[in-house]
Amino acid sequence: QVHLVESGGGSVQAGGSLRLSCAASGDTGRIGLLAWFRQVPGKEREAVAGAYSRSGNTYYAYSVKGRFTISQDKAKNTVYLQMSGLKPEDTAIYYCAARTENGVRWYDPRAVNYWGQGIQVTVSS
């Protein structure tokens, strides 16, 4: 079992920055991928960024590429999402996600084994 706890959300004006953190605990040795997803009411949960634990490879949704950076601190079992150049359309609940296998399709929410509780990010214009 893996437990994920997000922190760092909040409200910011357009153009500002926020850093989300996700601390993993439990059987963290099983984690193959850590990722961030987001969701707004009435829409499907969408992938934002992913990082494979063993290779270190990172992937981003087109909408955030160049503005967001995902990184890992393996010693702390923590994954971060540095968000810069925030836009009102980035407003959503952000979820940390962990997958135990290393397969492709990092962006597939159906392949996620563990979810955090979610944290609100609000960007005002």
Side-chain angles (χ1 to χ4, degrees):
Q1 193 76 4
V2 174
H3 188 53
L4 304 171
V5 178
E6 301 103 334
S7 61
S11 298
V12 66
Q13 288 193 327
S17 300
L18 280 175
R19 189 177 81 155
L20 303 183
S21 300
C22 172
S25 60
D27 198 2
T28 57
R30 299 180 61 206
I31 296 175
L33 169 76
L34 283 166
W36 289 95
F37 288 73
R38 66 187 182 187
Q39 189 170 25
V40 297
K43 291 191 175 181
E44 292 185 355
R45 193 167 294 189
E46 64 171 0
V48 176
Y52 285 92
S53 299
R54 293 171 182 79
S55 68
N57 290 340
T58 58
Y59 298 88
Y60 298 91
Y62 179 79
S63 60
V64 307
K65 204 166 188 178
R67 299 188 297 122
F68 291 11
T69 302
I70 188 171
S71 60
Q72 300 181 75
D73 184 333
K74 293 184 179 180
K76 295 182 179 179
N77 288 318
T78 300
V79 64
Y80 304 97
L81 185 68
Q82 178 67 48
M83 305 184 292
S84 302
L86 282 161
K87 304 175 181 180
E89 52 263 43
D90 294 317
T91 296
I93 297 175
Y94 283 70
Y95 295 90
C96 182
R99 208 167 79 182
T100 55
E101 49 85 23
N102 292 337
V104 296
R105 299 166 61 93
W106 66 271
Y107 48 84
D108 188 353
R110 297 169 299 176
V112 171
N113 301 107
Y114 304 99
W115 293 98
Q117 79 283 1
I119 193 164
Q120 180 70 45
V121 171
T122 301
V123 184
S124 57
S125 57

